[in-house]
Amino acid sequence: MIKRAPDDDQQERSRVDGDEALIARERRLDLALAASGLGLWDWDVNSGEIDLDERFVRMMGFDPREIAQPSLATLSERVHPEDIQAFNDAVSAHFKGVADHFEVELRFLRGDQRWQWIAVRGKLVAHDAAGNPERVLGTSRDIHEQRRTQDRLLAATAQVRLLLDATNDGVIGADERGRVIFLNRAGARMLCCEPEQLHGLPIVEILRDAEDATDPEDTPVELCLKGGGAQTTVSAEFVTQDGQKIPVEYTVSPLEGSTGAVVIFRDSSARDAQTREVAAQALSDPLTGLANRRAFEARMEELIALARESGSVHALCYIDLDNFKIVNDSCGHVAGDELLRQLPELIRPAVRGLDLVARLGGDEFGILLENCPLEDATRVAAKVRDAIRGFRFVWDYRSFNIGASIGVVAIGPEAESPEAVMQAADSACYAAKDKGRNNVHVAYPHDLAVIRRRGEMRWVERLRQAMGAGDLTLYYQSVGRIQGAGLDADQHEILLRLLDKNGNSIRPGSFLPAAERYQMMPEVDRWVIETACAKIGGLLLRGVGSQQLRFSLNVSAASLADVELAQFVAQQLAANDVPPQVLAIELRETAASSNLGAALEFMRQIRALGCRTILDGFGGGVSSFSYLKTLPVDMIKIDGSLIQEILSSEVDASIVRAINEIAHHMGIETVAEFVENAGLLAAVRRIGIDCAQGYTVAEPRPFARFVLSDETQPV
């Protein structure tokens, strides 16, 4: 038997004690990790393998017995795509020595297919012989509930900020030390800064009480922060970031659940300035310094009363600038405003000191000539016109001739009211424009031009009232497909009608010219689009015809300038669940030719929505075929003036045949308009035109009585 040396026994006891100490330390570490909720992982950088402890595996929703030896690649597949770059960037920065360790919050796809937020922290602990990263040790921590709480708090905070930014009052939040922690947008505007610029600054550097600016200890904010409760003051100054002082009214209240405070303030100087501005606007035009419309009409009332009392005669000149829109469109509104500011210097030399010159709105001006016969007023108007016509407006090295159209009316004992006088002057001004612009038109009794204008203005007023009162209504006229055994009415054009007081319909030819002259057509077009989509949606909802229905409606030339019209069409289709293929938009050829670029863009947008496009009144112009080649068109309606002559004019018949042949060659359907008798119907059928529209096919009917039926008879 070999006896062990005493030193050997000592070494053995030391080894056993060391193992027991190591085991004890591992147990303590395991208990600490269990208590902290941390999981451990060990990453072999070269092989990509990762050793996960049981806690990390369970965080990811797996049973340790179910998961195979993981690697960086397999774990990356379970990381949310939006988080991978953040992980790669953090690891890269650590490996380059930029950061002592890396820590990043990631979403892992759990075993039950739910996303789990886990915070991953790691540190490089070993390099290989070449100095490359070899081994990384790290921890993982479940932060899912923490992130959910944080997201809810962020959402709630965002809502509060939205509410605070929506108010016109300034709002400043301060912590218990009186330092700024929040400033809303309105407050930032008043203080001439960005909200972030004031963060952390003492609020007393911004707000100084006007009564005691040298002692910040006694300000309402300081008193509130010291537990004094809500404080109010009406006399204070805020100092902006550029050093300006603005008078304000503010209140201070303690923040609920904290020792901070919130200050709500409003700029009293702006209120005072607004009061002064309102008072000034009651008398003058802020742009030109002239009297405004309100002052002008008040003075006119005085002259009418004077004329009735004394029999005196006065005059009104109504001035509308010609070509003003060219300056605005080509140089911008700043240039247009400058032009308007210079106009008074052209007008004043032509009038006396007692006469009133006013800007009535936009580019319209008025002159009230006291005790001035109509003949003298006409000479004054001509002098003003010549001064404006001879003026050259220069802007940005460009020169413009403006010109003016002027209407002149007398204000005598027979004058009814300021409204009537202004209406007569406005009508006379438009009559001057009809002469070719740069003209003066004097409204005498029984003036036919003025009477016609008054009639148009009455139509405009009536049309505006009808749009709100329900007296504007929609009709429809079916279009028949004529190349079969009979007439298949599968498409319907929506028409506009105005109802009189007896409920009878008035054709658009009576009122739409007035709407076109007074720039009301874009408003009318939008009304038609909105109303038609609502009615078509109602038909589809009731199952009338389902999606086999096809309707078309007209858009005027004036609406082509509305860059948002196609979007408006899309909104109305969506709002009423109308499939785009149900609707077609019609443009008259004359409307398209007057603004070809806008028409082309609008038709492209309409087709992009899925709607069809129709060129109406085709063949009336010498360049018709060039438009057909340029514009994206699904169907053309051949002008009725050509169709009505094909039985008596071989030239018109040849033109119609050529239009039909070229359209078909381009894959475009054709419609014959104004087919009013059986002979015309037979003729367009022989030519090969696809469809016909007119009283022989179907008469216009109220949309309210729309039914999907065989409305036409075989012919």
Side-chain angles (χ1 to χ4, degrees):
M1 180 176 180
I2 300 175
K3 294 184 178 180
R4 294 175 58 89
D7 288 344
D8 291 339
D9 292 338
Q10 183 65 33
Q11 290 177 0
E12 180 63 20
R13 284 195 298 273
S14 297
R15 184 185 63 79
V16 171
D17 291 343
D19 289 345
E20 290 176 349
L22 178 61
I23 293 171
R25 284 197 298 272
E26 289 179 349
R27 287 177 179 174
R28 286 195 297 272
L29 175 61
D30 191 60
L31 288 172
L33 290 173
S36 65
L38 295 176
L40 290 179
W41 51 270
D42 187 341
W43 173 23
D44 186 327
V45 179
N46 293 327
S47 67
E49 293 183 354
I50 297 180
D51 185 21
L52 307 178
D53 74 348
E54 181 178 333
R55 277 180 292 272
F56 195 170
V57 173
R58 294 193 182 279
M59 279 185 206
M60 297 176 59
F62 288 97
D63 189 298
R65 295 168 298 180
E66 297 175 348
I67 190 167
Q69 177 63 42
S71 66
L72 182 64
T74 57
L75 283 182
S76 296
E77 293 175 355
R78 291 196 164 270
V79 176
H80 196 286
E82 296 178 2
D83 300 338
I84 290 177
Q85 189 61 46
F87 175 80
N88 292 336
D89 291 345
V91 173
S92 176
H94 176 48
F95 281 5
K96 292 176 181 178
V98 176
D100 177 67
H101 66 280
F102 67 86
E103 185 169 2
V104 65
E105 296 179 355
L106 306 173
R107 281 166 289 185
F108 282 91
L109 186 63
R110 290 166 48 91
D112 56 8
Q113 302 303 304
R114 291 188 294 114
W115 291 107
Q116 176 84 13
W117 278 102
I118 296 177
V120 176
R121 177 186 176 99
K123 185 177 179 63
L124 183 62
V125 297
H127 295 78
D128 61 16
N132 297 316
E134 183 177 44
R135 186 183 180 199
V136 177
L137 293 180
T139 61
S140 61
R141 180 165 51 90
D142 183 352
I143 59 168
H144 194 72
E145 287 304 318
Q146 175 185 333
R147 282 301 299 255
R148 288 183 60 186
T149 302
Q150 179 181 338
D151 290 344
R152 287 195 294 267
L153 287 174
L154 287 174
T157 302
Q159 289 180 346
V160 171
R161 286 184 175 270
L162 284 173
L163 289 173
L164 292 176
D165 283 338
T167 181
N168 291 324
D169 291 338
V171 181
I172 300 178
D175 61 17
E176 68 279 1
R177 297 180 299 163
R179 296 185 178 276
V180 176
I181 58 175
F182 174 75
L183 174 65
N184 72 338
R185 287 290 175 188
R189 285 195 299 270
M190 285 185 245
L191 296 174
C192 305
C193 67
E194 292 298 321
E196 297 78 14
Q197 288 180 259
L198 302 186
H199 195 275
L201 292 180
I203 197 170
V204 293
E205 292 186 9
I206 305 163
L207 183 149
R208 299 175 184 171
D209 266 11
E211 295 179 352
D212 190 9
T214 60
D215 187 6
E217 296 297 326
D218 295 330
T219 64
V221 174
E222 289 296 329
L223 293 174
C224 180
L225 290 172
K226 292 176 182 178
Q231 304 288 320
T232 61
T233 183
V234 293
S235 179
E237 289 180 344
F238 275 16
V239 182
T240 67
Q241 288 297 287
D242 55 6
Q244 295 185 11
K245 297 178 180 180
I246 55 173
V248 297
E249 294 177 359
Y250 74 92
T251 61
V252 186
S253 301
L255 282 173
E256 188 71 26
S258 77
T259 55
V262 61
V263 178
I264 300 176
F265 64 95
R266 62 183 57 185
D267 184 350
S268 56
S269 65
R271 181 198 60 194
D272 296 341
Q274 185 179 18
T275 301
R276 291 192 297 270
E277 183 181 352
V278 170
Q281 286 179 351
L283 300 173
S284 64
D285 171 56
L287 181 64
T288 62
L290 298 174
N292 64 8
R293 191 182 191 101
R294 183 175 177 182
F296 189 80
E297 291 178 348
R299 180 57 181 156
M300 197 187 335
E301 283 185 349
E302 295 175 356
L303 293 181
I304 291 174
L306 182 61
R308 290 172 181 170
E309 293 172 3
S310 64
S312 56
V313 176
H314 319 282
L316 186 156
C317 299
Y318 192 100
I319 307 168
D320 186 274
L321 298 182
D322 299 326
N323 302 323
F324 176 74
K325 190 173 185 296
I326 295 175
V327 176
N328 258 351
D329 291 348
S330 57
C331 298
H333 291 286
V334 174
D337 288 349
E338 179 57 32
L339 170 59
L340 295 177
R341 274 191 286 266
Q342 296 182 24
L343 256 293
E345 301 308 316
L346 302 175
I347 298 174
R348 283 195 179 103
V351 302
R352 302 163 297 176
L354 56 82
D355 298 326
L356 181 65
V357 182
R359 181 185 175 212
L360 304 178
D363 61 340
E364 298 169 346
F365 294 80
I367 306 173
L368 282 175
L369 302 166
E370 186 175 348
N371 292 315
C372 182
L374 203 54
E375 294 76 9
D376 293 343
T378 305
R379 285 192 290 272
V380 171
K383 191 175 179 181
V384 171
R385 177 207 54 197
D386 293 343
I388 296 175
R389 181 168 56 187
F391 171 67
R392 294 185 68 82
F393 176 68
V394 179
W395 183 269
D396 196 20
Y397 305 105
R398 301 179 64 180
S399 180
F400 300 88
N401 287 103
I402 308 304
S405 298
I406 305 177
V408 183
V409 297
I411 302 175
E414 73 285 352
E416 298 176 4
S417 65
E419 293 77 18
V421 174
M422 287 287 285
Q423 188 179 66
D426 184 38
S427 298
C429 181
Y430 269 97
K433 285 187 180 293
D434 285 345
K435 292 179 181 179
R437 300 178 182 248
N438 269 320
N439 276 293
V440 174
H441 186 91
V442 182
Y444 293 101
H446 311 299
D447 188 322
L448 293 179
V450 173
I451 292 173
R452 184 178 68 252
R453 283 293 174 193
R454 286 178 180 174
E456 289 178 343
M457 292 176 71
R458 282 195 293 269
W459 273 121
V460 168
E461 183 61 28
R462 187 172 177 183
L463 186 56
R464 288 192 185 280
Q465 293 175 352
M467 293 174 70
D471 292 334
L472 201 62
T473 188
L474 298 183
Y475 272 51
Y476 74 97
Q477 186 178 30
S478 298
V479 177
R481 193 166 292 279
I482 61 176
Q483 292 304 320
L487 292 175
D488 180 15
D490 66 344
Q491 181 168 307
H492 316 278
E493 181 180 357
I494 293 173
L495 309 172
L496 187 62
R497 296 289 187 268
L498 183 64
L499 300 180
D500 63 18
K501 61 182 179 180
N502 297 318
N504 299 317
S505 64
I506 302 172
R507 291 176 176 272
S510 300
F511 57 87
L512 284 190
E516 291 171 351
R517 185 179 295 273
Y518 286 87
Q519 291 82 48
M520 194 179 170
M521 281 309 300
E523 184 180 351
V524 173
D525 285 342
R526 282 190 171 232
W527 184 92
V528 171
I529 292 168
E530 182 177 5
T531 306
C533 287
K535 290 185 177 295
I536 294 169
L539 292 176
L540 294 173
L541 188 62
R542 298 197 306 271
V544 179
S546 185
Q547 295 185 12
Q548 296 177 357
L549 290 173
R550 293 203 302 169
F551 291 93
S552 66
L553 56 84
N554 281 274
V555 168
S556 67
S559 288
L560 293 179
D562 185 354
V563 296
E564 296 180 350
L565 186 60
Q567 181 182 356
F568 180 75
V569 173
Q571 291 171 347
Q572 296 306 313
L573 291 172
N576 295 282
D577 293 327
V578 177
Q581 64 270 20
V582 171
L583 186 66
I585 301 295
E586 297 190 25
L587 279 181
R588 287 199 65 81
E589 180 190 334
T590 52
S593 62
S594 65
N595 194 344
L596 190 60
L600 178 61
E601 179 60 24
F602 175 67
M603 296 177 84
R604 283 174 175 168
Q605 292 176 352
I606 289 298
R607 292 186 96 191
L609 295 178
C611 299
R612 293 166 295 120
T613 56
I614 299 175
L615 199 58
D616 191 14
F618 185 82
V622 295
S623 302
S624 294
F625 288 118
S626 66
Y627 302 139
L628 196 62
K629 184 179 179 181
T630 303
L631 297 171
V633 176
D634 298 300
M635 175 181 283
I636 60 171
K637 289 188 174 182
I638 303 174
D639 191 76
S641 62
L642 290 173
I643 297 297
Q644 290 182 321
E645 299 298 324
I646 60 176
L647 294 178
S648 58
S649 170
E650 183 55 36
V651 172
D652 286 349
S654 298
I655 293 174
V656 171
R657 279 195 290 269
I659 291 173
N660 186 65
E661 182 178 347
I662 292 173
H664 283 170
H665 182 73
M666 297 176 69
I668 299 172
E669 288 189 292
T670 53
V671 180
E673 294 184 305
F674 294 2
V675 179
E676 309 299 346
N677 57 62
L680 282 176
L681 182 61
V684 297
R685 178 178 280 164
R686 286 194 301 272
I687 289 174
I689 294 174
D690 300 304
C691 305
Q693 184 176 7
Y695 277 72
T696 300
V697 179
E699 296 184 3
R701 297 182 179 182
F703 202 105
R705 297 203 294 268
F706 181 89
V707 292
L708 190 64
S709 61
D710 186 9
E711 299 182 6
T712 55
Q713 300 298 322
V715 177

